[in-house]
Amino acid sequence: MWAAIRTSWPLFVGMIFLMVSNGLLGTVLTLRAGSLGFGETVIGLVQAAYPFGSLAGCLVAPRLVVRVGHVRVFAALASIASTAALLHLVTHDPWSWGAMRMLAGFCFAGLYVVAESWLNGRATNANRGSLLSIYFVIQTGGVAAGQSLLNLSSPEGILLLIVVSVLISLSLVPILISADASPPFVVPEWISLAELFRLSPMGLSGAFLNGVSQGAIYVVLALYGRAVGLQAGAIGALIGCATLGGMLMQFPLGRLSDRVDRRLVITGAAGLAIPVCLLLLPFDHADRADLPLLYAGITLIGGLTLPLYSICMAHMNDYLKPGQIVAASGTLTLVLGAGVTLGPVLGSLAVEQSGPAGLFTFLAIIQALTVATALFRLWHGQPRSATRGTASAMAPGSTACAAPLNPGAPDLAPRPAGP
């Protein structure tokens, strides 16, 4: 494993730059849009264009890699993403911003495809889970680090967007100088959405609900901070706390799910998140004395909700044949993306209709639905599989469809889901 880590450091360094820039960009645009007079619902719709673009990127990027190779696609997508970030400086309407967010989502999904195929080429079955866990920590840590850069300048200025563009460009350097030929890949066995739901309804339902939670946390939390009167740095700290909680709890929850029924872990984590959300309902104004409690509560919410996606994926893999895992993971990524797309829209509507407390009410409802789904599957679903997978940490930005990529292979882009 350590040998694989040493040979993969250029990828990890490049991913740090990408995730810091991506984390910073999302928050800067939310705050900048508010200063331009965009309403909460409009901001939510603009930000929802990002995961929608990611869905398209997950489908199109494999075709591009098959045609021209990993290096050229990575360079082209990074250049476009860097340009899209700068274009927010010269346009000031929701339509163009939505188009740029969709383009950014498309590009970052493609960048993750190339990066993951490079990493999988270095990994073996004996160390793949560990390397993906490191990859997840780097992704979430990079997003958290991006929030700290909000203190460099005001979101209304030009410096932060220039920093985003520079970081995306720097991510090219370690990747390009270490790129090599892709190893051969095994053609995966296709599995339809309907068949996948029959095998693991908890995996698909849990991933969708967790995507809704992730979209609300990463996007609407910034709207919450602005609604209660927090400054840009404090808003960045809120999102950073949620991300840090998810990073710290990923391994304990994943390990626990390897020892007991994963549905019990999902029930317990989501169930514990509900009272935390309810305890934060009174925090509807910026009181300096209450900020430590608010930060602690947000950290707990992030720790109890963000890691659940990887546990849902592991639960799904428990019931799949080895050849089905790659295709099923690609479908699960699309389901997660659908939830992430819906989360900012519904969350921003909750804040607009019910005030700042609407965010935590919305999150509590989503966790209650998650608990209800997990309990129902415990009572009426299949027993736990005797042959278990591993709860490998999989970040929201990761694209499992990267695994079958090979420039010399036939077109393996994911086909549309089944009936």
Side-chain angles (χ1 to χ4, degrees):
M1 184 186 72
W2 293 111
I5 292 175
R6 284 194 299 270
T7 58
S8 301
W9 73 263
L11 172 66
F12 292 145
V13 172
M15 289 307 301
I16 289 174
F17 286 128
L18 279 177
M19 297 314 301
V20 170
S21 63
N22 202 13
L24 175 61
L25 179 61
T27 307
V28 167
L29 292 182
T30 297
L31 299 175
R32 191 178 181 91
S35 67
L36 292 175
F38 294 4
E40 280 77 5
T41 302
V42 172
I43 295 175
L45 290 171
V46 168
Q47 292 286 18
Y50 177 91
F52 184 78
S54 296
L55 298 180
C58 184
L59 294 172
V60 175
R63 296 179 180 272
L64 298 177
V65 174
V66 166
R67 292 177 181 175
V68 301
H70 293 71
V71 175
R72 292 179 180 178
V73 174
F74 191 96
L77 293 177
S79 299
I80 295 172
S82 178
T83 302
L86 292 178
L87 286 178
H88 290 94
L89 292 174
V90 296
T91 62
H92 304 90
D93 63 278
W95 292 104
S96 62
W97 277 42
M100 290 304 100
R101 288 304 285 158
M102 186 180 300
L103 185 60
F106 177 89
C107 291
F108 273 97
L111 291 169
Y112 298 143
V113 164
V114 177
E116 285 187 36
S117 64
W118 192 92
L119 180 60
N120 280 317
R122 298 290 189 185
T124 65
N125 289 341
N127 60 28
R128 195 177 307 276
S130 299
L131 286 178
L132 288 176
S133 296
I134 296 172
Y135 180 71
F136 174 84
V137 171
I138 286 176
Q139 282 201 334
T140 54
V143 172
Q147 309 307 315
S148 66
L149 297 182
L150 285 170
N151 294 316
L152 290 177
S153 179
S154 169
E156 290 78 17
I158 65 173
L159 178 61
L160 292 180
L161 288 175
I162 291 177
V163 168
V164 168
S165 179
V166 169
L167 290 175
I168 295 175
S169 299
L170 287 176
S171 70
L172 283 165
V173 178
I175 299 294
L176 294 180
I177 64 176
S178 61
D180 54 11
S182 302
F185 292 93
V186 177
V187 178
E189 176 184 344
W190 178 253
I191 180 172
S192 68
L193 179 62
E195 184 179 358
L196 188 59
F197 185 80
R198 180 182 61 81
L199 290 174
S200 179
M202 179 70 244
L204 285 180
S205 302
F208 175 76
L209 291 171
N210 190 251
V212 175
S213 296
Q214 289 187 30
I217 289 174
Y218 284 119
V219 175
V220 187
L221 193 56
L223 296 178
Y224 166 84
R226 190 163 65 91
V228 300
L230 295 179
Q231 299 300 316
I235 293 174
L238 281 180
I239 301 174
C241 284
T243 305
L244 178 63
M247 183 171 61
L248 293 177
M249 292 298 294
Q250 176 66 59
F251 294 107
L253 290 178
R255 177 171 295 183
L256 180 61
S257 75
D258 286 334
R259 298 179 178 179
V260 302
D261 195 305
R262 303 192 199 279
R263 290 166 291 192
L264 285 175
V265 178
I266 294 171
T267 300
L272 288 174
I274 295 174
V276 178
C277 291
L278 298 180
L279 287 174
L280 294 181
L281 290 179
F283 291 85
D284 57 358
H285 62 281
D287 190 334
R288 184 178 297 273
D290 293 334
L291 283 183
L293 292 176
L294 179 61
Y295 289 146
I298 294 298
T299 303
L300 282 175
I301 290 175
L304 293 170
T305 58
L306 297 181
L308 295 186
Y309 171 64
S310 67
I311 299 177
C312 291
M313 171 173 281
H315 174 76
M316 179 187 68
N317 290 342
D318 288 343
Y319 302 96
L320 299 177
K321 294 183 293 185
Q324 296 174 325
I325 291 177
V326 171
S329 297
T331 302
L332 196 68
T333 300
L334 297 179
V335 171
L336 175 76
V340 172
T341 303
L342 189 60
V345 178
L346 297 180
S348 59
L349 281 173
V351 172
E352 187 173 8
Q353 297 296 322
S354 304
L359 171 61
F360 299 117
T361 302
F362 175 70
L363 287 173
I365 292 173
I366 298 301
Q367 304 318 307
L369 290 174
T370 302
V371 170
T373 302
L375 289 176
F376 181 81
R377 297 313 306 168
L378 272 170
W379 290 331
H380 301 284
Q382 302 179 48
R384 181 182 174 101
S385 176
T387 303
R388 300 190 295 272
T390 301
S392 301
M394 300 294 290
S398 65
T399 51
C401 57
L405 294 180
N406 179 13
D411 191 346
L412 298 176
R415 295 177 292 173

